[in-house]
Amino acid sequence: MLIVQDLQKSYRSGGRELVVLRDVNFSIAPGEFVAVVGPSGSGKTTLLGLMAGLDRPSRGSVRLEDTDLAALSEDGRARLRRERIGFVFQAFQLIPTLTASENVRVPLELGGRDGAAERADELLARVGLAGRGHHYPAQLSGGEQQRVAVARAFVHSPGILFADEPTGNLDAATGGRIVELLTELNRELGTTLILVTHDPDLAAQAGRIIRLADGRVVSDEATGS
Amino acid sequence: MRGFRYLATLAWRESRFARRRLFLFLSSISLGVAALVATQSFAASMAAGVRDQARVLMGADLAMSSTRAFGPRARALLDSLGRAGNAVSRTTSFASMATLPRTGATRLAQVRAVEGGWPFYGAIETEPAGRWGELRRGRVLLADPALLVALGARVGDSVRIGEAAFRVAGTLRKVPGETGISTSFAPRVYIPAAALPATGLLGTGSRVEYEAHLRLADPAAAATVDRGYQQRLRPERVAVRTAEGQQRRLSDALGRLGRYLGLIGTFALLLGGIGVASAMGAYMAEKRDSIATLRCLGATAPQVLAIYLLQAAAMGVVGSLLGAGLGLAVQWVLPRLLEDFLPVDVAIRASPAAVLTGVGVGVWVATVFALLPLLAVRRISPLETLRRRVATEPEPAAPDAWGWGARALLAASVVLLVVLQAGEWRMGLQFAGGIAATLLGLGLAAWAAVHGVRRLRAGGLPYPVRQGISNLYRPGNQTRTVVLALGFGVFLLAVLYLVQDNLLRPLRVGSAESRASLVFFDVQEDQEAGVRRALEGGGIRVLQRAPIVPMRVAAINGVPVSRIAPPDDGEGAEEGGGDGGRGGPEGWAVRREYRSTYRDSVVGSEKLVEGRFWRAGEARRPGEPAPVSLEKGIAEDLRVGVGDRVTWDVQGVQVPTRVTSLREVDWARLEPNFFAVFPADALAGAPQTWVVMASAPDAAARARAQRDVVRAYPNVASVDLTEVQAALDDVLGRISLVIRFLAGFSIATGFVVLLGAVSVSRLQRIRESVLLRTLGATRGQIGSILLTEYALLGLLAGVVGTGLAVVGGWALGRFVFEMDSFAVPAGGLLGLMLGMALLATVTGWWGSREAFRRTPLEALRDE
């Protein structure tokens, strides 16, 4: 599903080169549930961005289902994302001027696909928000907003889903329910799930943990979950 | 197509909650569209009016005119046309004093002696109605109401013109084809032609215009007559005009007027465009998060661009439609402002073409100006969903084809818009250049002003003031744009004010003894001494007297005028027309009548710039031509210089001269100034009249002086220069009123831009005030901060605008109006600046009232 090879990312800052990630190598099979952990500044958010095709590596490659992401243009990667990648963010990232249902539909409608409204309703029901489709994000609680985001992440049946600290802005109970939802859907639909977190309990629920420190992979182990 | 529909749907949804603000941004173009639609629709109405009333403009199918009595050819033509069944009517026009014998009050008037059926088309409206016919029946006159007011006369009174008395039969309400403005300087009086001999006027030297109006049995024949007789009548100095030609000239002139007025509207529109660009930039900054999310979810850059471009275009349509509606309403006001300048009645109609053009232009401007800030969305990376700002990687400074393309499109659109509005390439490009220079200057000045404020070491000032100052350059501020937009409005007003003031300044006729306030002309040679005595006897100081000898150019350097004067277009042989072509002398300069004088010294209003002026009584060798001193400009037009020979035809006598000097004349000084000055002995014995300039201490003395002179010498005309000045004031005032009215659209646009800017920073402002109030600031302190911020904005705009207006006004004065000096009325400009500061403060305050109303808790909860 996802192959990361000799990945390196550096930035220029104040005339010096800052290496944020170096020598990252791993591959992820379809359907796996992987947690990427590390302390603040370890490069995990940068790694997430590279894996999801949101950014280009300085060296190395990321292949998603045989497509070299770096070879695509910015717009090419955008099209790829709307077809094959789902996202859940720490800050929910719902568009405030769209209703819950309209937010969920975005990936389908951007791709010009039919039946978006019905599919959105289906997924909203699946995440426990049936009948709330016409509410705006401002009218939903944090947990409800994240559930809408989860529905949006799955609406286009992506092969892979990236979650960046999905429980970071939620209380423990709500966060737990979100993770439950994600893992359920991961099992049901066979979507590969990559979760970036600094919460070890959350990470423990994944089948495999890739640990980063100072921009390098320091361990990559199955958890037995 | 489905994809486009979704983008449109998304554009609609995405604009929720922001529609009121978006609308505010784009209503900054509404006013510009309104001005455009108003002027263009009005211009269309004017054009229709001219077309419909073409024949009425002249009151005839054909007119012939000359400043001398019709010669044999002209008379023969008129006779034959009359015998062929065409109606002929004659008018003789000249200036003369009208006097009310009852009180002795007297006033200069344009006298027209009419015989025959003119006007053949249209009618002259009188008050009481229907009095025009009385001209045929007795010794009556019809006059402009202004004359009766000036004389203190009433309908039924007896008024004297020359030596004849006339009963006032009524006043003129409307004379077709004439503008109200022209009567400001000399009111009209119509008398029957049969009474002309009784007046005893029309002696030598008077300026008389002889006209014949014709109604042709076959109106289409007008063109034939015109073409056939132009050439034949030219030697007799008779001009032939057709109703069609008149209509064409008028259409051209009114068309130009419409276009100039439209240009002012275009300024407002461009200003609005700048407001749109700035507001769009701020709006995009707010949408950053949503855009990053969309990108992350798979929207391509073109898709994102399309969404927001659609929003801008849609709002542009709404804003333009509203502007068009406003414009159609406003055009009802224009006739009222312009009615004194228009020779036709204008029936206001809505012009669909004007509306379509206005809306189209408005949408285009909104879209093109929004494009540049919109293009910035391409740089919003989806990575921003993961963190607020992507670190350290600098924005690529590489030349961006799209960015340059958008800028080029913008520049081309502006130029095209201005050129199309101006109606011709050269003028349009000049205007576009002028606009660019103005906006550039304003932009630089605004930048400098803001920069200057930033550097203000305001340490000693109280906190609210310091905070207000620093608010001006908070992130995402639109200070520069607001200062530019408001500053432009101030600039327009200030330039108008400065130019008007400086144009009128040299013409100010005060009661100062050194400045003449009375002019007497058409004084015959044998009357001159008597007039002087009469004035001095009444305690009036005679300041200047000059003899006037009418003459024409007969030959230049031995070449007769008939060979020099290039062919003209026939229409207007006496007026302008015909150019210098082929490097030869200007036709009009060669053909015109010159009213020259003789003296032996240079006077105060002129300066010798080349050659040598003669001394009194300087001897000449026998056979040597007399010297002549020419005004610099006319010498250029005649293509002669010092050393050239000019032969003059002085009432049939050839007078050879040689140009020995050139003078620069200050025409603005209301004194007798002459193109050609001769030595006394050269014009000895030539038929001449005199002009006498005098100074009277007050209005009563002036009235008395005029009364006394005219009573003794009825042929002498006199002008009270203070009235001339008042008329000029009036005319200039009305012209500038029209311009100011349209400039008002620009000013209003500036305020809309200000409101837009206030609205953009609304959220920030609320957060700040909440924070401050949580920290313990009182509402009064919050108020002081706002007050400082907006007052400073207004002051900056005022300073920038007036500063540039002084430069612009000086440039206009120097290069366009050729003024020698330029004064800056500081009081007026200061008032303008302070007024702007006040208005900006009030506007900004009103727009920010939310920051006051909510309690901190309310606002926080809403966030």
Side-chain angles (χ1 to χ4, degrees), chain B residues 384-676:
Chain B
E384 289 184 38
T385 50
L386 298 180
R387 36 167 144 239
R388 272 286 159 259
R389 270 283 181 279
V390 181
T392 63
E393 194 102 45
E395 295 273 340
D400 177 32
W402 283 98
W404 285 115
R407 286 185 185 91
L409 185 64
L410 185 63
S413 299
V414 171
V415 172
L416 197 63
L417 183 65
V418 174
V419 167
L420 283 174
Q421 181 60 42
E424 41 170 6
W425 274 105
R426 211 162 47 135
M427 167 88 57
L429 285 174
Q430 281 172 348
F431 259 103
I435 295 177
T438 309
L439 289 175
L440 195 67
L442 280 170
L444 278 174
W447 179 88
V450 172
H451 215 63
V453 165
R454 177 174 271 194
R455 287 174 173 287
L456 208 60
R457 284 280 152 256
L461 294 170
Y463 169 72
V465 176
R466 275 183 287 131
Q467 182 62 35
I469 293 176
S470 67
N471 275 355
L472 286 178
Y473 42 90
R474 66 152 69 82
N477 76 78
Q478 289 187 276
T479 302
R480 275 207 309 273
T481 309
V482 171
V483 169
L484 185 99
L486 285 178
F488 187 72
V490 173
F491 169 76
L492 272 184
L493 277 183
V495 162
L496 270 175
Y497 176 61
L498 281 171
V499 169
Q500 194 180 342
D501 190 71
N502 276 279
L503 274 178
L504 291 173
R505 192 175 293 256
L507 302 173
R508 296 234 171 281
V509 177
S511 55
E513 295 270 308
S514 54
R515 296 284 215 124
S517 53
L518 281 176
V519 184
F520 297 89
F521 49 96
D522 279 352
V523 179
Q524 301 297 318
E525 232 184 315
D526 54 358
Q527 296 171 328
E528 194 262 329
V531 166
R532 255 189 304 133
R533 271 196 308 272
L535 289 172
E536 277 155 6
I540 308 293
R541 243 171 37 121
V542 172
L543 295 175
Q544 267 190 321
R545 29 188 282 280
I548 300 194
V549 181
M551 58 183 66
R552 289 189 187 273
V553 175
I556 298 182
N557 286 323
V559 182
V561 148
S562 50
R563 289 232 307 269
I564 300 174
D568 65 17
D569 60 14
E571 301 259 10
E574 295 296 339
E575 308 117 68
D579 63 2
R582 295 187 301 252
E586 300 278 349
W588 62 267
V590 169
R591 287 189 297 265
R592 63 163 293 155
E593 181 183 62
Y594 284 83
R595 299 170 87 77
S596 311
T597 194
Y598 56 84
R599 51 174 142 86
D600 291 328
S601 60
V602 169
V603 294
S605 58
E606 35 180 54
K607 197 171 67 169
L608 204 65
V609 292
E610 205 182 314
R612 192 183 76 80
F613 208 83
W614 51 87
R615 281 189 307 278
E618 206 173 282
R620 278 200 300 282
R621 286 198 304 277
E624 194 186 318
V628 71
S629 175
L630 293 182
E631 187 264 340
K632 200 171 71 139
I634 204 73
E636 268 166 36
D637 293 326
L638 287 170
R639 307 282 188 270
V640 298
V642 171
D644 285 321
R645 286 173 297 133
V646 180
T647 306
W648 305 86
D649 175 346
V650 183
Q651 313 278 330
V653 177
Q654 305 278 312
V655 177
T657 63
R658 185 184 295 278
V659 179
T660 56
S661 60
L662 298 180
R663 294 161 295 123
E664 209 169 67
V665 172
D666 184 0
W667 296 100
R669 281 171 64 162
L670 289 177
E671 291 172 16
N673 287 315
F674 300 93
F675 284 133

Side-chain angles (χ1 to χ4, degrees), chain A residues 12-181:
Chain A
R12 289 218 79 86
S13 170
R16 283 184 11 251
E17 204 186 1
L18 219 70
V19 181
V20 179
L21 273 183
R22 73 183 83 218
D23 303 328
V24 176
N25 285 278
F26 57 80
S27 58
I28 297 177
E32 270 198 80
F33 177 3
V34 180
V36 176
V37 303
S40 175
S42 56
K44 52 185 196 299
T45 306
T46 308
L47 179 59
L48 177 62
L50 290 169
M51 286 192 289
L54 299 177
D55 196 4
R56 275 199 157 104
S58 310
R59 269 223 299 272
S61 71
V62 176
R63 298 188 76 84
L64 178 67
E65 292 177 340
D66 287 331
T67 308
D68 181 359
L69 294 184
L72 294 174
S73 66
E74 186 66 58
D75 283 348
R77 277 177 278 142
R79 278 186 279 269
L80 187 87
R81 287 195 294 272
R82 73 161 89 117
E83 279 156 32
R84 300 201 247 159
I85 304 178
F87 287 95
V88 177
F89 303 94
Q90 179 174 356
F92 322 141
Q93 298 293 124
L94 295 181
I95 295 177
T97 52
L98 302 181
T99 62
S101 170
E102 286 163 354
N103 261 293
V104 172
R105 287 184 239 165
V106 169
L108 289 178
E109 284 176 325
L110 281 175
R113 290 180 18 197
D114 286 325
E118 294 77 25
R119 180 95 176 112
D121 288 340
E122 216 182 280
L123 273 153
L124 281 172
R126 178 67 185 81
V127 302
L129 288 174
R132 301 291 298 279
H134 57 285
H135 285 164
Y136 290 97
Q139 296 166 302
L140 302 169
S141 70
E144 286 165 342
Q145 286 185 52
Q146 195 62 301
R147 278 190 270 162
V148 173
V150 170
R152 180 180 66 186
F154 280 102
V155 75
H156 51 305
S157 310
I160 187 167
L161 191 144
F162 293 94
D164 177 32
E165 308 275 13
T167 57
N169 284 15
L170 303 169
D171 62 78
T174 319
R177 280 200 286 279
I178 293 293
V179 177
E180 250 174 58
L181 206 50

Side-chain angles (χ1 to χ4, degrees), chain B residues 94-170:
Chain B
F94 53 95
S96 178
M97 301 305 283
T99 312
L100 183 67
R102 194 156 42 86
T103 60
T106 181
R107 180 75 158 84
L108 186 69
Q110 280 183 54
V111 181
R112 296 175 184 178
V114 188
E115 60 147 354
W118 184 83
F120 298 112
Y121 303 101
I124 298 196
E125 287 172 26
T126 59
E127 181 66 50
R131 295 297 169 96
W132 179 253
E134 295 211 14
L135 277 181
R136 272 182 261 270
R137 289 194 283 271
R139 187 77 68 84
V140 297
L141 65 75
L142 292 162
D144 269 327
L147 180 67
L148 296 190
V149 168
L151 293 177
R154 292 182 299 270
V155 173
D157 272 342
S158 172
V159 167
R160 222 160 45 101
I161 309 253
E163 284 159 27
F166 297 82
R167 184 176 59 80
V168 179

Side-chain angles (χ1 to χ4, degrees), chain B residues 783-854:
Chain B
S784 302
I785 297 174
L786 285 176
L787 185 74
T788 310
E789 189 180 338
Y790 292 123
L792 209 50
L793 258 180
L795 262 175
L796 279 175
V799 167
V800 163
T802 51
L804 261 147
V806 169
V807 173
W810 172 85
L812 267 176
R814 176 99 166 68
F815 298 109
V816 175
F817 297 107
E818 295 176 343
M819 295 186 227
D820 283 326
S821 66
F822 185 76
V824 177
L829 289 182
L830 192 65
L832 196 56
M833 257 166 45
L834 291 175
M836 178 55 77
L838 185 65
L839 273 172
T841 307
V842 169
T843 309
W845 193 294
W846 184 81
S848 310
R849 59 201 188 287
E850 261 182 300
F852 282 97
R853 280 204 305 225
R854 310 220 198 138

